[in-house]
Amino acid sequence: MIKFLLLFLLPFSLYASKILSYNIYDRSDRVDVMITFDTPYTGTIRQSTTKTKIIIKLEDATIEAPKIKKVSSKYLQTLTITPLQNETQIIALVPSSVRLIASKTSDAYGLRLRFTTKTAIKKSNHVNRQTNSNYSLSSLPTKKESDMTKSYAIVIAILIIGILLLFYIKRKMPTPKNRTTKEQNSWLFKSNEAVAQASQSSNEVEIRFQKAIDDKNSVVMLDFGVQSYLVLMGNNNILLDKFHDNKPSSQQEFESILQDRHEELESFLRGGNTTSLNKEAKEPLQAYKERAASLLYSDD
C-alpha cells in the first residue's frame, strides 16, 4: 500500500524544486543571498514586510532542514530558512530602511535576494528601470503548467516503451531448457558423425612396418581397426600375432619383435611343424581379414 501511495505522489514531487545551497555575499552597498535549486524554479514568490522583518515565501520549493545564519552587516542581521507545507519560508531581520529585490538567473536554477536601501534601489531603477519593475515586490513569472505536464507525459511514455521492449527481448531469448536440448542434440549429432568416421576408417588396412626375410618372404605389421597384426607373407600368409595396446611405434621396436620371434620365423621358413604356435597362427590372408573384421565389430 505504501508503494502505491509513493507512486501516486511521484508526479506531484516532480513540480517542487529542492534548495541545494545558499550563499551570503556582504557588499559595501548591499547584501546578496544566492539560492541554488536542483531543477529550474518555476514557483511563485510572495513577500510581506514589517518594521524589522522581511518575510519571503517560495511556493513549490523545499529544503531538507531549517537553516539559521547570523550576518554582521548594516543591511542584514539574521537569515532564517524554514521548510513548510508545499513552500519554504525565508525570514530576514533587517533595519527599517532596507528593502528587498528578488531576481532569478536566466536558467532559473538560481534566485538572488538583494537587501539594500531605498537610495540604492532608485539608482538601480534609473539604470535598468524595466528589469527592476518586473521583480520589485510582486510575484515572479512562472512556467506554465502545461509544459510540466507535457514533460511528465514524455517520461512516462519512455518508461512504458522500455518495459515493453524488455518483455519482447525476454520472449525472444531461448529458455535454459531449450538451450540444453539444443546442446544435447548438437553433441549427439557430432558423436554420430565421429562414430561413422571411425567405422569408415576401421575398414581400411594399412601397413605400419615391413621387413623382407628372403627373396620370397617378408614380415609385415598391418593396422586394421584398433588392432595391429604381425603377418608372415610369402608362399603362405600366416598370422603370427596381434597387438592392441602395446603396438610398436618405431622401426627399431618392430625389428626387436622380429628378433624375439627369430626361431618361430625360421621354423616357418623351413616348413617345420607349426602346431606349437597359437591356433590362430596359420590362416590365409583373406580368412585373416574376415576374422579380424568380425572381431572388430564384436568388440564394438
Side-chain angles (χ1 to χ4, degrees), residues 13-76:
S13 63
L14 295 177
Y15 291 92
S17 297
K18 182 180 179 180
I19 297 176
L20 298 179
S21 63
Y22 71 97
N23 297 295
I24 300 175
Y25 302 95
D26 187 7
R27 310 298 184 189
S28 59
D29 59 343
R30 66 187 183 274
V31 172
D32 291 336
V33 178
M34 294 299 300
I35 300 175
T36 305
F37 302 93
D38 62 341
T39 59
Y41 178 64
T42 58
T44 303
I45 299 176
R46 298 198 309 271
Q47 175 185 335
S48 61
T49 60
T50 64
K51 290 183 179 181
T52 59
K53 292 182 182 179
I54 297 178
I55 302 173
I56 307 104
K57 292 185 178 181
L58 306 179
E59 293 184 356
D60 298 328
T62 61
I63 191 170
E64 290 184 352
K67 306 290 182 180
I68 300 176
K69 183 69 174 180
K70 292 184 178 181
V71 183
S72 299
S73 174
K74 62 181 180 179
Y75 301 102
L76 179 64

Side-chain angles (χ1 to χ4, degrees), residues 147-161:
D147 295 338
M148 291 297 297
T149 304
K150 184 178 179 181
S151 300
Y152 177 69
I154 292 174
V155 173
I156 295 299
I158 293 174
L159 290 176
I160 293 174
I161 292 173

Side-chain angles (χ1 to χ4, degrees), residues 36-248:
T36 305
F37 302 93
D38 62 341
T39 59
Y41 178 64
T42 58
T44 303
I45 299 176
R46 298 198 309 271
Q47 175 185 335
S48 61
T49 60
T50 64
K51 290 183 179 181
T52 59
K53 292 182 182 179
I54 297 178
I55 302 173
I56 307 104
K57 292 185 178 181
L58 306 179
E59 293 184 356
D60 298 328
T62 61
I63 191 170
E64 290 184 352
K67 306 290 182 180
I68 300 176
K69 183 69 174 180
K70 292 184 178 181
V71 183
S72 299
S73 174
K74 62 181 180 179
Y75 301 102
L76 179 64
Q77 299 172 357
T78 304
L79 185 71
T80 304
I81 304 176
T82 307
L84 301 177
Q85 186 176 4
N86 299 328
E87 64 182 10
T88 298
Q89 179 178 269
I90 301 174
I91 300 177
L93 296 179
V94 297
S96 58
S97 60
V98 173
R99 294 293 178 266
L100 171 67
I101 301 174
S103 61
K104 291 193 296 185
T105 58
S106 59
D107 57 2
Y109 278 91
L111 175 64
R112 184 188 68 185
L113 302 179
R114 174 166 289 179
F115 299 92
T116 185
T117 59
K118 294 180 180 180
T119 305
I121 293 175
K122 289 180 180 181
K123 291 181 180 180
S124 179
N125 288 337
H126 182 72
V127 175
N128 194 354
R129 182 176 300 174
Q130 184 177 359
T131 303
N132 289 333
S133 63
N134 292 334
Y135 299 104
S136 58
L137 298 175
S138 60
S139 62
L140 293 173
T142 60
K143 191 175 181 180
K144 295 181 180 180
E145 293 184 359
S146 59
D147 295 338
M148 291 297 297
T149 304
K150 184 178 179 181
S151 300
Y152 177 69
I154 292 174
V155 173
I156 295 299
I158 293 174
L159 290 176
I160 293 174
I161 292 173
I163 292 173
L164 294 177
L165 183 61
L166 289 176
F167 275 113
Y168 176 77
I169 295 174
K170 184 178 180 181
R171 291 186 62 182
K172 289 296 182 180
M173 292 179 63
T175 60
K177 183 178 181 180
N178 293 336
R179 288 200 297 267
T180 304
T181 304
K182 289 182 179 180
E183 292 175 358
Q184 291 177 352
N185 292 336
S186 176
W187 173 83
L188 179 61
F189 292 147
K190 289 181 181 178
S191 299
N192 290 338
E193 292 176 359
V195 172
Q197 292 176 358
S199 300
Q200 184 177 1
S201 61
S202 64
N203 293 329
E204 299 178 358
V205 178
E206 296 181 357
I207 298 176
R208 178 184 288 267
F209 303 109
Q210 183 177 3
K211 184 175 183 180
I213 299 177
D214 53 25
D215 295 338
K216 297 181 180 180
N217 299 285
S218 61
V219 181
V220 180
M221 175 71 72
L222 300 176
D223 289 340
F224 185 79
V226 296
Q227 293 185 345
S228 296
Y229 299 88
L230 186 65
V231 182
L232 175 64
M233 302 184 69
N235 296 329
N236 295 319
N237 298 325
I238 301 174
L239 176 64
L240 300 176
D241 201 353
K242 60 181 179 180
F243 302 88
H244 182 71
D245 295 330
N246 55 346
K247 300 177 184 179

